[in-house]
């Protein structure tokens, strides 16, 4: 690119930080602004698997794949499937050299991406409150009273993105399923039964009637995940549940999951710390918009979807890399943003629609009461590798 635009990235999650890495590698300056006060100032959530065909390609482009593998857990690709009585239905154990989709804690990934950026790249404590444009210059206003002018604004600010509001009126919808974050610490000592149920990777447990527990081994002896159930979005108020009172939440769970057996019941009741209530939401899919000069979004800000398939963070990373490459390779900003959005829309639309449909289907009632099936883990991993080879072999970005 002949231009030297001022690039502002709103959001210091994986996608925003990765975009900054690749932009800097191309010699393009970019500054990241994030509402958090520090990289580790809040709980970033549990673990995620980075796929060979997306997240790992982006990390490789940024020169960070070795740093990822130093932290990643190959054994975390394991998957166990049990019914709501704890009966083993299916399990998969990866080979020691299987790197199709290793796990990494979200916090570890964010810290790793941040630590390897040049000091001062990320401005913490900058919560975006306004974005206006005058004469082609975008002015970002932050809650701390500061303002920044930019030629390019990249919204990496998540599902409820403020930057996206400049592009489309689309807003996330509730998918009809709520969940409670659960966490079990020092599991080998304090929760050996749960540790045995989960194994080294992920545990899927469902009753085929709209209720499930999906948990994953994290690092440092921690297991995290969620207890999920079909419900109205205001279920706690309707049920008289005090979310700040663990006893109240546990009473609700034992009532709601009353048919679940004693083997799996500790997954509902033995949570360390408070339960955190959340809801599954997603943007309409497929979602597109008309070009707005100098502004675009990536990751959940562009295509927030249900977590089925594990696409969220992976697509955010790949979005960030591809957007950075386009800004380097195309002659103008608008040519770059057009190229990026065209490719991103084509890749993510069907994935989002499929993920949202899969979540609704998984939590629908089975007529015979049998548990829903889950994807074949071995087949998933091999598909990631095959698509990675296809991506690298594609002659142009549009072919990807």
């Amino acid at each position: 690119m002949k231009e030297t635009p001022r690039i502002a990235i709103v959001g210091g999650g994986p996608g925003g930080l990765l975009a900054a890495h690749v932009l800097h590698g191309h010699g393009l300056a970019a500054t990241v602004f994030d509402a958090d006060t520090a990289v580790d100032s809040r709980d970033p959530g549990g673990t995620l698997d980075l796929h060979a065909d997306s997240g790992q390609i982006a990390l490789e482009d940024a020169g960070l794949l070795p740093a990822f593998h130093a932290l990643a857990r190959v054994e975390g690709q394991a998957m166990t499937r049990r019914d709501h009585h704890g009966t083993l239905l299916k399990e998969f154990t990866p080979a020691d050299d299987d790197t199709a989709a290793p796990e990494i804690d979200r916090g570890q990934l964010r810290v790793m991406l941040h630590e390897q950026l040049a000091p001062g790249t990320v401005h913490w404590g900058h919560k975006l409150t306004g974005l206006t444009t005058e004469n082609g210059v975008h002015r970002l206003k932050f809650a701390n009273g500061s303002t920044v002018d930019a030629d390019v604004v990249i919204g990496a600010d998540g599902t409820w993105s403020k930057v996206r509001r400049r592009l489309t009126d689309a807003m996330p919808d509730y998918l009809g399923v709520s969940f409670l974050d659960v966490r079990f610490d020092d599991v080998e000592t304090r929760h050996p039964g749960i540790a045995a149920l989960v194994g080294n990777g992920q545990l899927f447990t469902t009753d085929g009637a709209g209720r499930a527990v999906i948990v994953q081994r994290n690092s440092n002896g921690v297991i995290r995940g969620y207890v999920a159930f079909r419900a109205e979005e205001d279920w706690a108020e309707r049920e008289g549940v005090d979310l700040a009172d663990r006893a109240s939440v546990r009473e609700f769970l034992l009532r709601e999951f009353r048919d679940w057996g004693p083997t799996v019941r500790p997954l509902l009741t033995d949570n360390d710390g408070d339960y955190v209530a959340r809801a599954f939401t997603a943007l309409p899919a497929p979602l597109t918009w008309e070009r707005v000069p100098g502004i675009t979004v990536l990751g959940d800000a562009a295509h927030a979807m249900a977590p089925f398939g594990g696409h969220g963070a992976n697509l955010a990373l790949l979005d960030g890399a591809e957007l950075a490459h386009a800004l380097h390779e195309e002659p103008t900003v608008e040519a770059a943003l057009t190229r990026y959005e065209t490719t991103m829309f084509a890749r993510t639309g069907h994935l989002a629609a499929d993920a949202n449909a899969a979540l609704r289907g998984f939590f629908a009632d089975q007529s015979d009461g049998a548990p829903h099936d889950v994807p074949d883990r071995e087949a998933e991993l091999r598909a990631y590798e095959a698509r990675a080879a296809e991506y690298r072999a594609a002659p142009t970005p549009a072919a990807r």
Side-chain angles (χ1 to χ4, degrees):
M1 178 178 292
K2 296 178 181 179
E3 307 173 46
T4 55
R6 295 167 293 178
I7 302 173
I9 301 172
V10 181
L17 297 177
L18 193 286
H21 268 284
V22 179
L23 285 167
H24 291 182
H26 287 312
L28 293 171
T31 305
V32 181
F33 301 91
D34 194 273
D36 291 342
T37 57
V39 67
D40 56 356
S41 63
R42 63 178 172 86
D43 181 359
T47 184
L48 53 85
D49 57 335
L50 292 192
H51 304 169
D53 63 348
S54 48
Q56 291 188 52
I57 286 174
L59 290 173
E60 184 177 20
D61 287 356
L64 298 174
L65 200 55
F68 163 69
H69 283 304
L71 297 169
R73 305 184 307 278
V74 170
E75 69 279 6
Q77 298 171 105
M79 180 178 287
T80 302
R81 179 78 168 86
R82 298 181 183 274
D83 68 14
H84 61 296
H85 298 296
T87 303
L88 180 64
L89 303 176
K90 184 188 299 185
E91 62 182 341
F92 166 75
T93 302
D96 292 342
D97 60 350
D98 194 332
T99 59
E103 295 280 338
I104 185 171
D105 289 7
R106 290 177 181 271
Q108 291 177 328
L109 177 63
R110 193 184 195 199
V111 169
M112 182 266 285
L113 289 168
H114 175 250
E115 286 182 343
Q116 299 201 39
L117 281 169
T121 297
V122 183
H123 291 207
W124 301 108
H126 282 67
K127 180 180 180 180
L128 184 70
T129 58
L131 175 59
T132 58
T133 303
E134 185 174 350
N135 297 324
V137 176
H138 308 294
R139 174 156 291 183
L140 297 88
K141 299 179 181 180
F142 300 98
N144 61 12
S146 65
T147 61
V148 171
D149 290 342
D151 303 303
V152 179
V153 177
I154 299 171
D157 48 342
T159 301
W160 302 99
S161 169
K162 287 184 173 64
V163 177
R164 186 183 61 239
R165 296 175 192 177
R166 290 292 308 277
L167 306 175
T168 173
D169 293 332
M171 293 295 286
D173 292 322
Y174 177 55
L175 296 177
V177 178
S178 287
F179 65 101
L180 294 162
D181 273 353
V182 292
R183 176 185 178 121
F184 308 94
D185 297 324
D186 192 14
V187 293
E188 302 300 342
T189 300
R190 300 187 58 209
H191 304 284
I194 289 175
L197 284 173
V198 175
N200 289 327
Q202 186 177 65
L203 169 67
F204 269 85
T205 304
T206 181
D207 59 9
R211 291 173 289 269
V213 176
I214 304 173
V215 290
Q216 173 80 43
R217 177 83 64 154
N218 288 224
S219 62
N220 301 316
V222 174
I223 288 174
R224 298 187 65 164
Y226 47 83
V227 177
F229 44 91
R230 271 201 328 270
E232 297 295 331
E233 197 167 6
D234 60 348
W235 65 269
E237 181 179 352
R238 288 170 176 258
E239 296 287 340
V241 177
D242 181 355
L243 293 170
D245 181 353
R246 294 180 209 170
S248 177
V249 177
R250 285 169 179 156
E251 181 181 353
F252 164 77
L253 290 175
L254 289 174
R255 184 170 67 250
E256 180 72 13
F257 290 72
R258 57 187 172 274
D259 295 330
W260 286 47
T263 302
V264 294
R265 207 168 292 151
L267 292 165
L268 309 172
T269 61
D270 291 9
N271 183 48
D272 289 319
D274 292 333
Y275 297 86
V276 181
R278 305 189 191 278
F280 287 117
T281 59
L283 287 166
L287 177 64
T288 61
W289 50 81
E290 298 296 323
R291 277 289 320 122
V292 174
I295 302 176
T296 194
V297 290
L298 60 80
D300 285 347
H303 42 68
M305 65 186 75
F308 276 47
H311 299 303
N314 283 284
L315 290 176
L317 291 166
L318 190 58
D319 287 350
E322 290 197 342
L323 175 53
H325 291 321
L327 285 166
H328 169 63
E329 295 167 3
E330 296 297 325
T332 66
V333 165
E334 281 311 295
L337 299 189
T338 298
R339 166 180 140 180
Y340 158 70
E341 289 185 351
T342 300
T343 303
M344 181 267 291
F345 290 152
R347 177 174 55 241
T348 62
H350 70 94
L351 291 175
D354 289 350
N356 298 342
L359 182 136
R360 290 189 174 101
F362 186 81
F363 285 94
D365 283 328
Q366 287 279 81
S367 59
D368 59 2
H372 291 278
D373 200 7
V374 296
D376 183 297
R377 187 59 171 163
E378 172 74 20
E380 280 186 330
L381 299 181
R382 303 293 74 81
Y384 297 151
E385 293 173 333
R387 288 194 295 267
E390 292 173 2
Y391 182 98
R392 290 188 171 93
T396 65
R400 297 169 182 168

